[in-house]
Amino acid sequence: MLGDYLITGRGAADIAASVERGIGSGDLAPGQLLPPQRELAAALGVNPNTVAAAYRTLRERGLIETAGRRGSRVRHRPASTSRDDTVRVHVPPGARDISDGNPDPALLPPLGPALAAAGERFATAPPMYGAPPVSERLAAAARAELAADGVRDAPLTVASGSLDAIERVLAAHLRPGDAVAVEDPGWGSLLDLVPALGLRALPMTVDDEGPLPGDAERALERGARALVVTARAQNPTGAAVTAQRAAALRAVLAAHPQTLLIEDDHGHHIVDLPLHTLTGVTRHWAFVRSAAKAYGPDLRVAVLAGDDLTVDRVAGRHRLGPGWVSHLLQETVAGLWHGGAVDPVAVAASYGRRREALLAALAERGVLARGRSGMNVWVPAPEETGAVARLLTAGWAVGPGARFRLASPPGIRLTVSPLGPADTAPLADAVAAALTPSAVRRYD
């Protein structure tokens, strides 16, 4: 059943560690069927309850899954292996990489002056142990912009990027085995994080206006204790929640006020569409706004606003780990916000021109695609593996849809950040040629 790999251990922790080592080394492959609990217990000379405890630990860590009488298997995407590890495309020399989802470096502000200014502010009084977790200047800038966007006044804390913030909020409220409603297609890192925390993902279909209210309702009725929504520039589809969709989702949440709502606004300052927040109808909520896309991915700063209990739990647990997010980085982000280092209108327009040009070129070639906001375009593809391979042969490395999907149909993600005007037509030609005839309608 396991080939040459031998599971060892006498205690539950040792048995679980042995299986985890096999998964990490590749000796236990995704989908590998594990021995029945009683069979493994007999082989190891331990009580079946010991093996049951080991398997339970592995399930909670997102490494295996159990399907009743069909037994336990290694997850097809174990939490110890990210989607990027399993499906990332190798980019050969000479190929154009439009798969990584990075912003255009030319649209990012220079960090030197802002870092120097922040360092100068701390020259005589550097932050020390016991300092408040949130910089006063960053809190002031964040509060002003959140208020302008309709997010109610609430306690603030800071995390090291959006994913860190989301992880801390989920861990503050949920336990292994709990379900989380997530967008599908959705952010691959979040889809990896959920099972890594021992949680179950319940997919919500996404159209250009955000998650479908019916899917959100069904997920909550199926027991989802949390719901994660991307406000704008949804990755990978570019969806942005409209006023009408926000009203419908708020109505769903109002009927389930115990739901933990997490709203991710990583598109702040790169999108010209207004924010339509869902906050205000559930008891526990968090609104996350990061600096990565507008100011640079290496600025690991995200502001988190939320209800008192959520922010207290996140900040308290943070103090017991990293302690705080660097005040130097917080002051740098605050300086960039205050100083107008980024022109949000110009940045949004730049990404918008590239995105709209590509969408138009694809449409001219009969290729249906989506991309309402942000820096990505999603192209449905009946068979994505072949499409990705053909595009790579044509000199374009694109994001395989498997990085972003749970139950939604196949597709590919194209990041427009590296594209110039001369790239649009060749890329559209390559995409049209790479898709199967059933996916492309050609017009005479």
Side-chain angles (χ1 to χ4, degrees):
M1 182 179 294
L2 299 181
D4 295 330
Y5 189 76
L6 183 65
I7 297 175
T8 60
R10 298 286 298 172
D14 292 335
I15 296 169
S18 175
V19 174
E20 187 168 359
R21 283 194 299 272
I23 294 172
S25 67
D27 291 318
L28 295 179
Q32 175 73 60
L33 184 65
L34 298 180
Q37 294 176 15
R38 290 188 177 278
E39 179 181 313
L40 181 57
L44 297 177
V46 301
N47 190 294
N49 290 337
T50 301
V51 176
Y55 279 19
R56 182 168 60 251
T57 297
L58 291 164
R59 284 196 302 273
E60 291 176 351
R61 291 178 181 169
L63 296 171
I64 70 170
E65 55 192 3
T66 300
R69 295 181 179 179
R70 292 195 296 272
S72 298
R73 296 178 181 272
V74 178
R75 286 177 57 90
H76 284 282
R77 290 194 182 94
S80 57
T81 303
S82 75
R83 289 163 185 258
D84 283 355
D85 292 338
T86 55
V87 296
R88 179 176 288 279
V89 173
H90 171 70
V91 184
R96 296 288 303 279
D97 188 0
I98 56 170
S99 70
D100 58 16
N102 275 310
D104 182 355
L107 297 178
L108 300 177
L111 299 183
L115 282 165
E120 187 64 28
R121 290 177 63 86
F122 294 144
T124 57
M128 306 293 282
Y129 294 115
V134 186
S135 155
E136 290 185 9
R137 293 181 74 224
L138 180 61
R143 288 187 189 283
E145 296 206 9
L146 290 173
D149 285 333
V151 179
R152 64 180 179 178
D153 187 31
L156 296 179
T157 190
V158 180
S160 297
S162 293
L163 195 65
D164 181 48
I166 294 171
E167 176 178 2
R168 293 181 182 281
V169 174
L170 290 173
H173 286 283
L174 273 57
R175 298 178 299 175
D178 286 341
V180 182
V182 297
E183 297 162 336
D184 183 21
W187 184 18
S189 294
L190 175 63
L191 301 184
D192 286 337
L193 173 65
V194 169
L197 294 175
L199 306 173
R200 296 181 293 114
L202 299 182
M204 302 181 292
T205 301
V206 178
D207 66 11
D208 286 345
E209 299 184 15
L212 299 184
D215 281 12
E217 175 70 29
R218 281 186 286 275
L220 296 179
E221 289 179 348
R222 290 175 59 194
R225 293 193 56 210
L227 186 146
V228 185
V229 176
T230 308
R232 301 174 286 190
Q234 197 261 3
N235 184 9
T237 69
V241 176
T242 62
Q244 295 79 6
R245 181 60 52 81
L249 290 170
R250 286 170 63 87
V252 170
L253 289 167
H256 301 270
Q258 75 283 359
T259 303
L260 170 64
L261 169 67
I262 303 177
E263 199 165 6
D264 175 13
D265 189 33
H266 68 261
H268 177 60
H269 279 182
I270 68 165
V271 175
D272 55 4
L273 298 175
L275 174 73
H276 299 290
T277 183
L278 307 184
T279 58
V281 294
T282 59
R283 184 176 300 112
H284 299 303
W285 61 278
F287 184 93
V288 181
R289 177 166 281 177
S290 66
K293 293 296 189 295
Y295 297 98
D298 198 46
L299 284 175
R300 308 309 301 156
V301 177
V303 174
L304 187 158
D307 65 275
D308 291 340
L309 180 63
T310 296
V311 172
D312 282 348
R313 286 181 176 179
V314 169
R317 183 64 184 87
H318 201 181
R319 283 194 296 271
L320 297 176
W324 66 89
V325 174
S326 165
H327 282 74
L328 180 65
L329 292 182
Q330 291 190 50
E331 284 292 314
T332 299
V333 172
L336 293 168
W337 279 9
H338 276 300
V342 166
D343 181 347
V345 175
V347 171
S350 179
Y351 287 129
R353 284 192 297 270
R354 300 178 222 194
R355 196 179 62 249
E356 294 300 328
L358 180 57
L359 289 170
L362 290 171
E364 289 174 0
R365 291 155 177 80
V367 177
L368 305 178
R370 299 166 55 189
R372 183 164 178 255
S373 64
M375 57 184 66
N376 294 308
V377 167
W378 179 255
V379 182
E383 194 277 307
E384 67 189 35
T385 302
V388 170
R390 288 187 287 273
L391 278 163
L392 195 60
T393 300
W396 299 95
V398 304
R403 289 166 59 182
F404 313 102
R405 298 188 295 105
L406 291 175
S408 58
I412 55 175
R413 189 193 70 175
L414 316 176
T415 299
V416 303
S417 306
L419 301 180
D423 298 319
T424 304
L427 174 58
D429 286 338
V431 171
L435 298 179
T436 60
S438 62
V440 181
R441 293 183 293 121
R442 298 193 178 278
Y443 297 96
D444 295 331

